[in-house]
Amino acid sequence: MDNKMEVKILEIMNTVLDNRTKKKLTVLSPEMHLRNDIGFDSLDLAELTVRIEAEYDIDIFEDGIVNTVSEIFEKLNSK
Amino acid sequence: MNVLITGISKGLGLKTSESLLRNGWTVYGISRSKTEELNELLLQYPDKLKWLQYDLGDAEKIRQIIFKDWIGLDTPIHGLVNNAAMAYDDIVTNLNLDSLEKMYRVNVFTPMMLTKFVIRQMLLHHTKGSIVHISSISVHTGYKGLSMYASTKGALEAFSKNTAREWGEVGVRSNCLVAGFMETEMSSSLSDNQKNRIYQRTSLKKPVDVNSVAETIKFLLSDKANSITGQNIHVDNGTI
């Protein structure tokens, strides 16, 4: 996993969590589930998608559901 | 306030743009053609009125052309007015599928795609935005020859109500302005006799004032309407 990208994604996720007054993350690991472990709901995931897209110009939900942190990195690295 | 409006070259779109510009808001206006009236407005508000020529029959390139290249993802959007529409009027037994599909693209699919990207932009900038779809009294009162057109507006009303429920939590509002018949190009294909019969079905017995519709759109976009969402607001001279 690209460390710079990991730092950026963690920052973006914390922005989303903070906006919804949810508990922020201190670390990010690939197996983390976006809903069950991090606590994102569908509206949070929408905001996450938009913020990632603004940064990397990739819509991670465009062709199917993304469930875990590692799947986000796969999408970002595959383009 | 930055507001995106479709169909600004004439009629209601032009009047609404004028009204918003007078308020000091910035208008991102889209239309297929540039009319003389639109040109005058562009000269009057060179900084506040931004214009893009775009055919709303093309729902594919909306993100790239409208949101990325023109408005820019860095610009917050506070309001969307889905005003552009086409009228394909005929009796049902003459229904032509190509004309129907074309009308659905302009009246339904493109407004839905614009809504998608406007909400995404609102999420990005944390904007409590307001979406106004222009609907028609034909959804609520039947008129001969308007079933196909009315069905597109009915689709928008259902879309708006559910959008309101889905996104209210983050402060995004969505309403429909249900307009009665105005003296605009949209109703120009009707004969005087047809128009008079339509006006006789209203309480005020005359065409709906375009300015009254435009002012109501402005109200729905503004913070004064911050408790109004998921509604169909009728500006129809009392068609009951």
Side-chain angles (χ1 to χ4, degrees):
Chain A
M1 203 186 299
D2 173 352
N3 192 44
K4 203 172 138 209
M5 189 185 270
E6 191 183 330
V7 171
K8 190 71 210 174
I9 295 296
L10 179 63
E11 184 191 317
I12 291 173
M13 285 187 173
N14 277 334
T15 303
V16 176
L17 290 166
D18 203 33
N19 283 340
R20 307 289 299 244
T21 60
K22 289 183 179 175
K23 195 166 170 280
K24 290 210 259 181
L25 299 169
T26 47
V27 287
L28 198 61
S29 57
E31 72 283 358
M32 277 176 147
H33 194 278
L34 301 175
R35 285 176 184 266
N36 303 342
D37 297 325
I38 302 180
F40 286 133
D41 64 19
S42 57
L43 300 194
D44 300 334
L45 289 171
E47 185 178 333
L48 180 72
T49 312
V50 168
R51 292 191 182 281
I52 290 177
E53 189 183 34
E55 186 70 31
Y56 297 101
D57 202 26
I58 293 169
D59 182 348
I60 55 168
F61 277 97
E62 200 171 24
D63 42 0
I65 300 291
V66 168
N67 291 309
T68 62
V69 170
S70 64
E71 285 170 37
I72 292 181
F73 288 110
E74 275 166 35
K75 294 262 177 179
L76 295 181
N77 289 322
S78 69
K79 301 252 173 160
Chain B
M1 284 275 282
N2 298 325
V3 180
L4 174 60
I5 312 183
T6 61
I8 66 154
S9 64
K10 52 203 170 194
L12 178 60
L14 189 71
K15 276 278 183 291
T16 305
S17 301
E18 273 177 11
S19 172
L20 302 185
L21 289 163
R22 267 201 308 274
N23 251 32
W25 298 1
T26 299
V27 170
Y28 288 83
I30 297 172
S31 62
R32 248 182 327 181
S33 57
K34 191 194 262 182
T35 56
E36 213 166 287
E37 295 96 315
L38 173 58
N39 210 24
E40 277 171 30
L41 204 60
L42 281 161
L43 292 172
Q44 206 182 336
Y45 296 96
D47 301 324
K48 292 282 186 180
L49 175 56
K50 329 262 184 199
W51 177 67
L52 177 73
Q53 181 174 29
Y54 189 85
D55 180 358
L56 294 167
D58 183 357
E60 303 279 332
K61 300 193 195 82
I62 286 176
R63 179 174 176 267
Q64 184 65 41
I65 294 180
I66 298 178
F67 289 88
K68 286 190 72 184
D69 298 347
W70 181 51
I71 299 175
L73 294 178
D74 292 341
T75 308
I77 302 175
H78 307 89
L80 165 67
V81 183
N82 269 317
N83 165 69
M86 59 169 289
Y88 159 52
D89 303 338
D90 210 334
I91 58 172
V92 179
T93 44
N94 288 339
L95 203 166
N96 174 282
L97 185 58
D98 286 341
S99 304
L100 185 70
E101 282 180 349
K102 189 170 172 222
M103 179 166 63
Y104 261 84
R105 269 200 298 280
V106 175
N107 293 13
V108 183
F109 300 158
T110 296
M112 286 167 79
M113 293 306 282
L114 286 171
T115 303
K116 167 184 174 175
F117 293 114
V118 160
I119 292 177
R120 290 175 77 121
Q121 198 115 333
M122 287 169 177
L123 285 174
L124 188 60
H125 292 278
H126 249 240
T127 323
K128 290 190 185 345
S130 172
I131 297 161
V132 181
H133 300 283
I134 308 307
S135 184
S136 156
I137 188 59
S138 59
V139 175
H140 304 272
T141 307
Y143 299 87
K144 182 180 167 190
L146 294 193
S147 29
M148 284 86 85
Y149 172 76
S151 74
T152 65
K153 295 301 189 181
L156 268 191
E157 288 191 10
F159 179 66
S160 172
K161 192 171 283 283
N162 286 271
T163 303
R165 182 74 180 182
E166 192 170 285
W167 293 98
E169 205 178 321
V170 295
V172 174
R173 298 183 291 110
S174 177
N175 293 288
C176 283
L177 185 299
V178 185
F181 283 83
M182 297 168 272
E183 287 282 8
T184 61
E185 211 181 285
M186 192 62 94
S187 52
S188 63
S189 62
L190 300 170
S191 68
D192 283 349
N193 184 30
Q194 281 173 311
K195 282 185 193 172
N196 283 332
R197 282 210 315 249
I198 287 167
Y199 301 146
Q200 285 307 313
R201 283 173 73 175
T202 68
S203 303
L204 299 178
K205 310 250 184 262
K206 59 181 184 184
V208 167
D209 175 11
V210 182
N211 287 309
S212 179
V213 180
E215 290 302 311
T216 311
I217 294 168
K218 184 167 81 183
F219 169 71
L220 288 171
L221 289 170
S222 75
D223 282 343
K224 291 175 188 164
N226 64 6
S227 293
I228 305 175
T229 192
Q231 300 303 309
N232 300 324
I233 308 295
H234 287 243
V235 182
D236 63 358
N237 278 354
T239 307
I240 43 179

